[in-house]
Amino acid sequence: MDAAAGGNPDTRTIPIDDGPTQETVLDIDEWAARAAASLEADFSMAEAKIHRFPCGLRGIGGGDDRYIAPSVVAIGPYHHGLPHLQKMEAVKLAAAHYLCRDTAGRSTVDQAYTKVRSVAGAARACYDADDPSVAGVGEAEFAAMMFLDGCFLLQYMADDENAVPVLRNRMTLSTGPSIHKDIFLLENQIPWLVLDALMEFVSVDVHGFVKGMGEKFLPGRAKKARRKQRWRGGGVELDGHSSRPPPHLLGHLRFTQVGSMPASETNYRSLPVDSSLSISAVELEEMGVRLAASTAPWFGDMSVRRRPLFGELSLSPLFLNDVTACWLVNVAAAEASAAGASRESDGFVVSSYLSVLAMLMDSEADVQRLRAQHLLYSTFSNAQALGFFKGLARHLRFGQRYLAVLEMIQAYKRRRAVLIILHKLLYSSFKAMTIATLFSIVGMLVGIFKTLLDNSDKKHTNRLYYVVVLV
């Protein structure tokens, strides 16, 4: 199309619509450079940003997005105006009043609000500026939102013994589990810098609170093992502290779980491996690979070891209920949102662990096997747990640590090929035994033991007779 026909005379330029009547023509190189610069700027903040739930992962959000959207309280702008969350707005105002009142000797509500307002611009940059829920909020309204949401979170995390009864009732007794879920949703976060600004005026052990929440992932034995190893120390960072501040509470929750994992594991690069390999818990047992609960103080530990006669797949044990399931979904979503920007090899540490668990579960029998080996403790039924993990696996990307486990399993199969064949034969033979066969074996053993006991009784009787005669 030529210029006379109304087309663009220069094929190296592209029209950009700047308004209803204006049109700017940019050189295509400049247009592409602008787009690249915008993407690079956004990528550089990938770890610090507060993302929307990735579209490609929405399938793991549960029915009615129950693991994505808050059910009780909105934190941040993404869900701020939802009608069913408005009752908690009055609670936020009360939380700000009580929180600042308790420190009135050092500060006032005005001083704390002024401090938050000074960081509101940086906080706003952590959200998607093009998102309607952000673009439609004025600067003053946004600063007030950050202030009230920050005060609410700090008041909620404060020591319950010092909590005001009316707040304790509204925050904990009636809606506690729901708020636990809500404050660790990916889309329901405020930047850490807002909490950091408020903590200049109030003293709240945020780290202790988040660490305590993280222990909900762990069953009783694993909690004791982690606390024991944390006390021993050993030069490993076990207590969850870091010189680098977390981006938000969800990021801090993830760090308390995997932050002490050695760099050699988080940065491990697997060799080329067949990612289509899939093996269930029952199939591993047939091969002679036993499942064992890891005692490593970090969450998501996975390793394959060769024992003299057997192999062992060691995994961090997990307590799964509706709250921890929600957190796992959102941690996986956070890892996907910051993919490539992480200081770890690929950032999919928790996602890899979830993928391995899902691989091990092909049937409810596999889930029961994980329960029997003390790897899975859950309020879910076997069918519900199977559905949860298989639903996750359909959407998660294979991380390097997942591929590393496949690599270790394949290496074990190569090095123990003969032993695996023998074990499978014995395992299959034992399984093939009918109930009648088992009863026959048991009956035969009972007969043998009875004969031995009868002979023992006769010898004892004869010895007694000789003693009586001699006397």
Side-chain angles (χ1 to χ4, degrees):
M1 185 181 292
D2 57 24
N8 187 356
D10 187 348
T11 58
R12 294 176 304 161
T13 62
I14 188 164
I16 306 295
D17 189 4
D18 284 342
T21 59
Q22 295 181 340
E23 184 178 80
T24 301
V25 177
L26 292 179
D27 184 280
I28 196 166
D29 289 338
E30 182 182 352
W31 180 65
R34 287 188 180 185
S38 176
L39 285 175
E40 288 175 4
D42 189 63
F43 181 73
S44 67
M45 288 192 62
E47 285 191 284
K49 288 185 75 71
I50 295 172
H51 301 270
R52 282 286 194 176
F53 205 92
C55 293
L57 293 182
R58 293 197 76 87
I60 66 176
D64 300 324
D65 288 345
R66 63 191 313 272
Y67 293 154
I68 300 175
S71 56
V72 175
V73 60
I75 304 294
Y78 290 149
H79 298 278
H80 184 69
L82 294 181
H84 73 282
L85 305 177
Q86 296 312 298
K87 288 184 178 180
M88 292 302 289
E89 294 305 306
V91 178
K92 291 180 185 179
L93 285 165
H97 168 73
Y98 290 121
L99 189 74
C100 295
R101 182 197 66 176
D102 292 340
T103 57
R106 293 181 290 140
S107 61
T108 64
V109 173
D110 287 341
Q111 288 175 309
Y113 174 68
T114 299
K115 179 64 179 180
V116 170
R117 188 157 189 169
S118 71
V119 301
R124 193 181 187 108
C126 294
Y127 296 94
D128 183 0
D130 297 328
D131 193 289
S133 63
V134 179
V137 179
E139 298 299 326
E141 183 183 356
F142 182 85
M145 181 193 305
M146 292 294 103
F147 172 72
L148 292 176
D149 289 353
C151 287
F152 174 85
L153 288 172
L154 291 178
Q155 181 69 66
Y156 185 73
M157 290 185 283
D159 188 350
D160 283 347
E161 293 180 0
N162 299 323
V164 178
V166 65
L167 289 180
R168 185 187 301 175
N169 178 269
R170 293 297 298 275
M171 288 182 172
T172 305
L173 300 181
S174 58
T175 56
S178 295
I179 293 181
H180 283 354
K181 289 198 300 182
D182 285 356
I183 64 177
F184 291 110
L185 297 176
L186 178 63
E187 292 189 356
N188 216 37
Q189 301 295 310
I190 59 173
W192 183 264
L193 60 90
V194 174
L195 295 177
D196 198 43
L198 285 170
M199 283 190 286
E200 291 185 15
F201 303 93
V202 295
S203 178
V204 177
D205 184 9
V206 176
H207 170 70
F209 173 84
V210 177
K211 186 172 64 175
M213 291 294 102
E215 289 188 344
K216 292 183 181 296
F217 284 113
L218 304 171
R221 293 181 184 177
K223 287 180 185 178
K224 291 179 181 178
R226 174 182 284 193
R227 288 167 183 164
K228 186 176 181 180
Q229 292 197 26
R230 181 184 297 124
W231 178 77
R232 287 176 179 174
V236 180
E237 175 56 77
L238 300 177
D239 204 24
H241 291 289
S242 172
S243 58
R244 180 165 54 99
H248 39 62
L249 284 182
L250 177 63
H252 194 22
L253 177 67
R254 179 183 181 275
F255 181 80
T256 62
Q257 298 306 298
V258 304
S260 61
M261 184 178 288
S264 59
E265 294 201 30
T266 56
N267 297 325
Y268 181 81
R269 305 292 296 186
S270 69
L271 298 172
V273 64
D274 181 9
S275 61
S276 65
L277 172 68
S278 179
I279 188 163
S280 70
V282 172
E283 288 171 334
L284 277 178
E285 189 177 70
E286 291 175 358
M287 286 172 45
V289 178
R290 295 190 262 199
L291 296 172
S294 169
T295 58
W298 52 84
F299 179 74
D301 183 56
M302 302 182 291
S303 60
V304 177
R305 298 180 180 88
R306 284 183 294 163
R307 303 301 187 192
L309 294 177
F310 299 95
E312 181 181 276
L313 172 57
S314 176
L315 297 168
S316 292
L318 170 67
F319 176 72
L320 184 71
N321 64 5
D322 197 47
V323 173
T324 57
C326 178
W327 293 349
L328 288 170
V329 165
N330 280 271
V331 168
E335 290 184 340
S337 299
S342 173
R343 289 169 174 80
E344 300 156 5
S345 60
D346 62 358
F348 293 96
V349 176
V350 174
S351 299
S352 291
Y353 170 79
L354 295 175
S355 294
V356 169
L357 282 181
M359 177 189 71
L360 294 174
M361 299 180 191
D362 275 348
S363 67
E364 292 182 38
D366 293 312
V367 181
Q368 186 58 40
R369 194 73 200 135
L370 291 170
R371 289 185 191 268
Q373 296 305 112
H374 308 295
L375 291 174
L376 180 65
Y377 297 75
S378 181
T379 59
F380 290 10
S381 68
N382 287 348
Q384 289 171 328
L386 179 65
F388 173 76
F389 283 105
K390 284 304 184 185
L392 279 176
R394 287 198 299 269
H395 302 275
L396 295 180
R397 171 182 160 179
F398 293 151
Q400 284 293 325
R401 300 195 71 249
Y402 170 79
L403 297 176
V405 171
L406 297 190
E407 177 191 324
M408 289 186 280
I409 292 175
Q410 288 185 341
Y412 180 85
K413 293 172 73 175
R414 287 194 305 269
R415 294 167 183 166
R416 292 282 181 92
V418 175
L419 196 60
I420 288 172
I421 291 173
L422 292 174
H423 192 278
K424 281 187 174 181
L425 286 173
L426 292 172
Y427 187 89
S428 299
S429 299
F430 183 78
K431 284 189 70 175
M433 288 183 181
T434 63
I435 297 297
T437 304
L438 288 174
F439 274 119
S440 297
I441 294 173
V442 171
M444 182 177 65
L445 291 173
V446 169
I448 291 171
F449 282 119
K450 185 177 180 181
T451 301
L452 291 172
L453 288 172
D454 287 344
N455 290 337
S456 176
D457 289 343
K458 286 179 181 179
K459 290 179 181 179
H460 178 73
T461 303
N462 290 336
R463 288 195 190 103
L464 185 61
Y465 174 76
Y466 292 142
V467 169
V468 171
V469 170
L470 289 173
V471 171

